[in-house]
CSV table of all heavy atoms in Angstrom, one decimal:
chain,number,residue,atom,x,y,z
F,1345,VAL,N,14.4,-10.3,15.8
F,1345,VAL,CA,13.0,-10.4,16.2
F,1345,VAL,C,12.9,-11.0,17.6
F,1345,VAL,O,13.8,-11.7,18.1
F,1345,VAL,CB,12.2,-11.3,15.2
F,1345,VAL,CG1,12.3,-10.8,13.8
F,1345,VAL,CG2,12.8,-12.7,15.3
F,1346,ASP,N,11.8,-10.7,18.3
F,1346,ASP,CA,11.5,-11.3,19.6
F,1346,ASP,C,10.8,-12.7,19.3
F,1346,ASP,O,10.7,-13.2,18.1
F,1346,ASP,CB,10.7,-10.4,20.4
F,1346,ASP,CG,9.3,-10.2,19.9
F,1346,ASP,OD1,8.8,-10.8,19.0
F,1346,ASP,OD2,8.6,-9.2,20.4
F,1347,GLU,N,10.4,-13.4,20.4
F,1347,GLU,CA,9.8,-14.7,20.2
F,1347,GLU,C,8.5,-14.8,19.5
F,1347,GLU,O,8.0,-15.8,19.1
F,1347,GLU,CB,9.7,-15.3,21.6
F,1347,GLU,CG,8.5,-14.7,22.5
F,1347,GLU,CD,8.9,-13.5,23.3
F,1347,GLU,OE1,9.9,-12.8,22.9
F,1347,GLU,OE2,8.4,-13.3,24.4
F,1348,ASN,N,7.8,-13.6,19.3
F,1348,ASN,CA,6.6,-13.4,18.6
F,1348,ASN,C,6.8,-13.0,17.1
F,1348,ASN,O,5.9,-12.7,16.5
F,1348,ASN,CB,5.6,-12.6,19.3
F,1348,ASN,CG,5.2,-13.2,20.7
F,1348,ASN,OD1,4.9,-14.3,20.7
F,1348,ASN,ND2,5.3,-12.3,21.7
F,1349,PHE,N,8.1,-12.8,16.8
F,1349,PHE,CA,8.5,-12.3,15.5
F,1349,PHE,C,8.1,-10.9,15.3
F,1349,PHE,O,7.7,-10.4,14.2
F,1349,PHE,CB,8.0,-13.2,14.3
F,1349,PHE,CG,9.1,-13.9,13.6
F,1349,PHE,CD1,9.7,-15.0,14.1
F,1349,PHE,CD2,9.6,-13.3,12.4
F,1349,PHE,CE1,10.7,-15.7,13.5
F,1349,PHE,CE2,10.7,-13.9,11.8
F,1349,PHE,CZ,11.2,-15.2,12.3
F,1350,ASN,N,8.2,-10.0,16.2
F,1350,ASN,CA,8.1,-8.6,16.2
F,1350,ASN,C,9.3,-7.9,16.6
F,1350,ASN,O,10.1,-8.4,17.3
F,1350,ASN,CB,6.9,-8.1,17.1
F,1350,ASN,CG,5.6,-8.7,16.8
F,1350,ASN,OD1,5.1,-8.7,15.7
F,1350,ASN,ND2,4.9,-9.3,17.8
F,1351,ALA,N,9.5,-6.7,16.0
F,1351,ALA,CA,10.7,-5.9,16.4
F,1351,ALA,C,10.4,-4.4,16.0
F,1351,ALA,O,9.5,-4.1,15.2
F,1351,ALA,CB,11.9,-6.3,15.6
F,1352,SER,N,11.1,-3.5,16.7
F,1352,SER,CA,10.9,-2.1,16.4
F,1352,SER,C,12.2,-1.4,16.8
F,1352,SER,O,13.1,-1.8,17.6
F,1352,SER,CB,9.8,-1.5,17.2
F,1352,SER,OG,10.0,-1.5,18.6
F,1353,GLY,N,12.4,-0.2,16.2
F,1353,GLY,CA,13.5,0.6,16.5
F,1353,GLY,C,13.5,1.9,15.7
F,1353,GLY,O,12.6,2.1,14.8
F,1354,GLN,N,14.5,2.8,15.9
F,1354,GLN,CA,14.6,4.1,15.1
F,1354,GLN,C,15.9,4.4,14.9
F,1354,GLN,O,16.9,3.9,15.5
F,1354,GLN,CB,13.9,5.2,15.9
F,1354,GLN,CG,14.6,5.7,17.2
F,1354,GLN,CD,13.8,6.8,17.8
F,1354,GLN,OE1,12.7,6.7,18.2
F,1354,GLN,NE2,14.6,7.9,18.0
F,1355,SER,N,16.1,5.2,13.8
F,1355,SER,CA,17.5,5.7,13.5
F,1355,SER,C,17.9,6.9,14.2
F,1355,SER,O,17.1,7.5,15.0
F,1355,SER,CB,17.5,6.0,11.9
F,1355,SER,OG,16.7,7.1,11.7
F,1356,TRP,N,19.1,7.3,14.0
F,1356,TRP,CA,19.6,8.5,14.7
F,1356,TRP,C,18.9,9.8,14.3
F,1356,TRP,O,19.0,10.8,15.0
F,1356,TRP,CB,21.1,8.7,14.3
F,1356,TRP,CG,21.4,8.5,12.8
F,1356,TRP,CD1,21.4,9.5,11.9
F,1356,TRP,CD2,21.6,7.3,12.1
F,1356,TRP,NE1,21.7,9.0,10.7
F,1356,TRP,CE2,21.8,7.6,10.7
F,1356,TRP,CE3,21.7,6.0,12.5
F,1356,TRP,CZ2,22.1,6.7,9.8
F,1356,TRP,CZ3,22.0,5.1,11.5
F,1356,TRP,CH2,22.1,5.5,10.2
F,1357,ASP,N,18.2,9.9,13.2
F,1357,ASP,CA,17.4,11.0,12.8
F,1357,ASP,C,15.9,10.7,13.0
F,1357,ASP,O,15.1,11.3,12.3
F,1357,ASP,CB,17.7,11.4,11.4
F,1357,ASP,CG,17.6,10.2,10.4
F,1357,ASP,OD1,17.2,9.2,10.8
F,1357,ASP,OD2,17.8,10.5,9.2
F,1358,THR,N,15.6,9.8,13.9
F,1358,THR,CA,14.2,9.5,14.4
F,1358,THR,C,13.4,8.8,13.3
F,1358,THR,O,12.1,8.6,13.6
F,1358,THR,CB,13.5,10.8,14.9
F,1358,THR,OG1,13.1,11.6,13.8
F,1358,THR,CG2,14.3,11.5,15.9
F,1359,ASP,N,13.8,8.3,12.2
F,1359,ASP,CA,13.0,7.5,11.3
F,1359,ASP,C,12.7,6.2,12.1
F,1359,ASP,O,13.5,5.6,12.8
F,1359,ASP,CB,13.8,7.2,10.0
F,1359,ASP,CG,14.2,8.4,9.2
F,1359,ASP,OD1,13.5,9.4,9.4
F,1359,ASP,OD2,15.0,8.3,8.4
Side-chain angles (χ1 to χ4, degrees):
V1345 303
D1346 65 16
E1347 70 275 28
N1348 297 313
F1349 246 82
N1350 298 310
S1352 62
Q1354 68 179 58
S1355 69
W1356 48 90
D1357 52 5
T1358 71
D1359 297 341

